[in-house]
């Protein structure tokens, strides 16, 4: 199965291996989020869910974004119902995050993060590293050159030194 997915990624990228920054997310506000726009910047991508015990991490994601965005960090929230803990619609997710966390970081539309129907970003990460989110609030750090620089599970908080040390090393 992994070989089939790798071939599909290769074919979908016009004959070249797809990379995480070669993908596009639907934006929760409409339009798209072109990951290629973030080339040259570190990008922390986090699969989120509104009804999860880790939802409090939205505060940490916003604080991380606030601390480093002026130096180039992008934090992208990717709501997902793959673990049956997301609200019923993108509109409900957006309202929940605005009311409870005052988020202004970029947010994708509700997306799949695992399995055969996973978003191309997550398929590219899996092809490159073998990493697949095992729960909500898993984190993937993309280096400015587009390579996967690290991945962490739900228990690693957004402002953990494990994450911030790597981010700081990538910032001017």
């Amino acid at each position: 199965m992994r070989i089939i997915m790798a071939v599909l990624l290769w074919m979908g990228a016009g004959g070249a291996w797809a990379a995480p920054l070669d993908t596009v997310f639907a934006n929760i506000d409409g339009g798209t989020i072109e990951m290629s726009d973030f080339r040259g910047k570190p990008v922390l991508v986090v699969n989120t869910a509104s009804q999860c015990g880790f939802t409090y991490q939205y505060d940490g994601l916003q604080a991380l974004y606030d601390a480093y965005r002026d130096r180039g960090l992008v934090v992208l929230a990717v709501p997902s119902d793959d673990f049956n803990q997301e609200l019923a619609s993108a509109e409900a997710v957006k309202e929940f995050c605005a009311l409870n966390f005052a988020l202004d970081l970029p947010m994708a539309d509700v997306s799949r993060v695992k399995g055969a129907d996973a978003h191309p970003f997550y398929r590219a990460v899996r092809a490159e590293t073998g990493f697949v989110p095992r729960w909500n609030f898993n984190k993937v750090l993309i280096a400015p050159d587009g390579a996967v620089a690290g991945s962490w599970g739900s228990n690693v908080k957004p402002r953990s030194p494990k994450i911030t040390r790597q981010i700081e090393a990538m910032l001017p």
Side-chain angles (χ1 to χ4, degrees):
M1 182 66 160
R2 189 170 182 174
I3 292 172
I4 292 170
M5 290 306 298
V7 169
L8 290 173
L9 282 169
W10 180 76
M11 291 169 36
W17 290 105
L21 289 183
D22 294 332
T23 63
V24 177
F25 282 96
N27 190 323
I28 201 163
D29 294 320
T32 59
I33 298 171
E34 306 275 339
M35 293 298 288
S36 62
D37 289 347
F38 305 138
R39 198 169 305 283
K41 300 177 179 185
V43 183
L44 185 68
V45 181
V46 184
N47 66 301
T48 61
S50 302
Q51 299 175 322
C52 177
F54 291 102
T55 302
Y56 69 89
Q57 287 189 16
Y58 271 130
D59 283 330
L61 293 172
Q62 184 65 50
L64 185 70
Y65 185 56
D66 291 343
Y68 295 111
R69 75 168 124 190
D70 289 342
R71 293 176 57 199
L73 175 67
V74 176
V75 176
L76 175 63
V78 180
S80 178
D81 195 35
D82 280 0
F83 304 103
N84 302 310
Q85 294 191 316
E86 190 50 275
L87 298 171
S89 70
E91 295 78 21
V93 171
K94 184 177 173 184
E95 181 179 354
F96 172 85
C97 289
L99 291 174
N100 293 291
F101 298 99
L103 293 185
D104 71 348
L105 53 87
M107 183 174 276
D109 201 346
V110 178
S111 304
R112 301 291 310 261
V113 300
K114 65 179 190 133
D117 294 331
H119 185 277
F121 172 86
Y122 285 96
R123 292 195 318 252
V125 169
R126 183 177 66 213
E128 183 177 331
T129 68
F131 178 79
V132 174
R134 292 191 289 188
W135 194 244
N136 303 307
F137 289 88
N138 280 213
K139 297 139 194 93
V140 178
L141 179 61
I142 305 299
D145 67 2
V148 177
S151 58
W152 299 272
S154 308
N155 289 322
V156 178
K157 294 178 182 174
R159 301 221 45 200
S160 163
K162 292 178 182 180
I163 296 174
T164 58
R165 272 190 296 243
Q166 285 197 36
I167 290 169
E168 288 173 359
M170 295 176 194
L171 295 172

